Amino acid sequence: MKKNLFIVFIAVAAICFGHQAKAQVKPTATSGPVTVNINLTDAISITLGADPTVNFDYLTAADYAASKTVTKASHFTVISNKPYNLSVTAMGTFQPAGGPDLDIVTVNVPASTANGGTPVPNVPLSTTASALVNGSTASKGAIYTVEYTISDPASLLNLTGSTYNTTVTYTATQQ
């Protein structure tokens, strides 16, 4: 029996010593180059505010005796990745025909909302593009206030009671 026990002991010892503990070899860390591109395209946009319509209301005799200014806060927003200029153009004369001359209305951007640019004061409406702000800085959302003024309503006298309108377009052009 001692012999059998000795054989079992030898067998167990052989099994235990036969399995050697080996350290695991981790793979060597490697790296590869990765290219990161930032592809830019010149981008510019104008978005009109919630209420873009400008109304000059002449309802009483006193209205015809003084200048009127309609201020449109947050009139439009410009997004541009480069400096830009703003211009204003009337798409046509006031309709219906026989209405006032376009230049009765002047447009002004207060310096406080010119986004670092130089505003041109009191720009009369015209069918030719007219500079409104020069050299505005690049922006992810410049908000413009615009003042529309009729300084001398005398040319409104003798006109038929009606609503006279034209369409005004603002253009932002990158420098």
Side-chain angles (χ1 to χ4, degrees), residues 46-137:
I46 293 180
T47 305
L48 293 176
D51 181 22
T53 302
V54 177
N55 290 309
F56 284 98
D57 294 319
Y58 287 85
L59 306 174
T60 67
D63 289 337
Y64 290 90
S67 67
K68 273 191 185 229
T69 298
V70 176
T71 301
K72 298 299 282 189
S74 303
H75 199 36
F76 58 84
T77 302
V78 176
I79 298 171
S80 179
N81 69 316
K82 292 173 58 177
Y84 59 93
N85 298 323
L86 284 174
S87 63
V88 60
T89 309
M91 301 283 70
T93 60
F94 280 106
Q95 295 299 314
D101 292 335
L102 281 174
D103 62 1
I104 190 173
V105 177
T106 59
V107 182
N108 187 53
V109 171
S112 62
T113 66
N115 191 36
T118 304
V120 177
N122 305 317
V123 177
L125 287 183
S126 171
T127 55
T128 303
S130 301
L132 187 61
V133 179
N134 293 312
S136 291
T137 58

